[in-house]
Amino acid sequence: MIQDMKKMYHLLYHLPNRLHACRTRLFMTTAFLLAIAMHANATAQEGNIIIIDGERWTLLNEPIYADTALFHRMKAALPADRSWTTANWDGYTSYWSIRQGSLMLDSICVTFYNEETEQFRQATLDESWMKRLFKGYTRGKGFKAAQFSGKLRVTRGECIHYVHDGYESSFEYETFLTVKEGKVTERKDYHNRLIEGCSFGKSKDLIASLKEKLLLQAEKYPELNEAKRILFNIKNVKLDATGTITDCTVKALKNGSDDIAKEMKRIIMDIHPWETLYLYDEYVFPERGGYTFPIVINK
């Protein structure tokens, strides 16, 4: 649906001038609907590309953003008719490399839509455009990111845990590069993996199992007889290498008491193994921000 709306957006933009008033109304309506659709279907971002020691990695950072003036100058200079998607909100992909210990910007690629063929094509911005835009950053062939100091996150291999937001997904191989004024000063490599087990997001019968075990304690908790629904939240989860929860925080957010929250914590901690991410040399709960789930009490 989104791609069809994008095509309509481009077609409306190029309608004859004599239909200007009609075109404007349709154009604004389509843009509005497209914005809603894009927001509703927001997804993880694709990332940029970086070459390190001859290997192609995905760069989950935007080093150009480190220089606010440069970033705004670049966004203003990019072709206005470039295409964009929910996986690439900026409408461009930057290509980088580490050469002689320096972070270098090699090229910028944008995508265009052809109304006649109804096809998308990619184009690399020419070198003269790059030289004008990045004047002051030129260091021989390429552009040294001398404005950037901070950490870069680069990934390759399989996505072992998908998160439907920005650059939050986890990958099999990840490396963090510490950069100071364009020079790489430190590198840390990680081999991540996913350990299978129970998951709030994937195990279909998990909530039903929690409910059944909780209702077995109905005589101890009056709220189970009075409430139609109790909302629980679990966070601060700590796991070991076997997928066993060693500690967590459970709260009853709605229609529950501290005592029933403690009972739910006991039930959860009795279940194992849980799905576990071995991420950056630590065992972590995939829902790192916590998870909220309801228990519906049938009368």
Side-chain angles (χ1 to χ4, degrees):
M1 182 185 81
I2 289 175
Q3 183 157 316
D4 290 339
M5 294 183 73
K6 286 174 64 179
K7 291 178 181 178
M8 187 185 301
Y9 182 95
H10 285 278
L11 290 170
L12 288 171
Y13 188 82
H14 290 91
L15 282 174
N17 289 334
R18 64 179 179 272
L19 298 177
H20 176 74
C22 180
R23 181 187 70 178
T24 300
R25 288 194 294 273
L26 289 172
F27 179 80
M28 295 302 295
T29 300
T30 303
F32 175 72
L33 292 174
L34 179 58
I36 293 175
M38 297 292 259
H39 178 75
N41 294 276
T43 186
Q45 295 299 288
E46 294 172 342
N48 298 298
I49 305 300
I50 186 168
I51 304 299
I52 304 174
D53 297 332
E55 288 187 312
R56 180 185 171 109
W57 295 70
T58 299
L59 172 62
L60 301 185
N61 294 85
E62 300 287 350
I64 295 173
Y65 292 5
D67 186 318
T68 304
L70 175 62
F71 164 66
H72 286 296
R73 191 165 76 240
M74 184 197 71
K75 289 296 289 289
L78 284 171
D81 59 342
R82 70 188 187 281
S83 297
W84 44 270
T85 68
T86 54
N88 187 343
W89 283 108
D90 290 320
Y92 73 90
T93 301
S94 54
Y95 289 80
W96 305 78
S97 61
I98 303 297
R99 301 204 301 271
Q100 297 180 343
S102 294
L103 174 65
M104 306 294 292
L105 174 61
D106 297 321
S107 61
I108 291 177
C109 182
V110 296
T111 301
F112 296 97
Y113 177 72
N114 187 309
E115 290 83 4
E116 294 181 359
T117 63
E118 297 186 348
Q119 298 292 322
F120 292 92
R121 66 176 179 86
Q122 288 190 325
T124 300
L125 300 177
D126 63 66
E127 189 172 349
S128 61
W129 185 94
M130 294 283 289
K131 285 182 177 179
R132 289 195 305 272
L133 181 62
F134 294 96
K135 184 178 180 180
Y137 293 89
T138 305
R139 300 290 188 276
K141 187 177 181 180
F143 307 90
K144 182 178 178 181
Q147 87 287 358
F148 182 79
S149 293
K151 289 189 180 295
L152 298 178
R153 178 180 170 223
V154 302
T155 70
R156 62 185 176 89
E158 295 183 10
C159 176
I160 59 173
H161 181 64
Y162 176 79
V163 178
H164 202 64
D165 182 28
Y167 293 143
E168 297 301 314
S169 297
S170 300
F171 295 83
E172 187 178 5
Y173 299 99
E174 298 195 22
T175 290
F176 288 87
L177 302 173
T178 301
V179 179
K180 185 175 181 180
E181 296 179 352
K183 295 289 290 185
V184 177
T185 60
E186 187 179 5
R187 171 174 176 165
K188 289 186 177 181
D189 299 296
Y190 297 96
H191 184 185
N192 305 319
R193 67 180 186 274
L194 181 69
I195 301 169
E196 298 293 338
C198 295
S199 166
F200 282 105
K202 299 177 184 177
S203 303
K204 294 182 179 180
D205 299 327
L206 178 58
I207 301 299
S209 175
L210 295 176
K211 174 182 174 179
E212 180 181 0
K213 292 176 181 178
L214 181 64
L215 291 180
L216 292 175
Q217 309 295 325
E219 294 181 358
K220 294 171 58 178
Y221 305 103
E223 54 264 56
L224 291 175
N225 296 316
E226 298 173 0
K228 295 182 179 180
R229 178 175 178 266
I230 299 179
L231 196 64
F232 292 94
N233 172 264
I234 178 173
K235 61 181 180 180
N236 303 324
V237 181
K238 296 181 180 179
L239 302 106
D240 62 19
T242 68
T244 300
I245 294 179
T246 59
D247 196 15
C248 63
T249 300
V250 177
K251 292 184 178 181
L253 302 178
K254 184 178 181 181
N255 300 325
S257 63
D258 290 343
D259 287 339
I260 205 167
K262 290 178 182 177
E263 181 63 25
M264 178 56 73
K265 176 178 177 177
R266 183 193 65 78
I267 293 170
I268 289 174
M269 292 184 67
D270 280 345
I271 297 173
H272 67 278
W274 285 88
E275 183 178 77
T276 304
L277 269 177
Y278 183 68
L279 187 67
Y280 313 139
D281 296 339
E282 294 183 1
Y283 296 97
V284 299
F285 196 54
E287 285 83 12
R288 282 164 276 174
Y291 192 86
T292 299
F293 61 95
I295 297 293
V296 179
I297 311 300
N298 296 325
K299 302 298 184 182

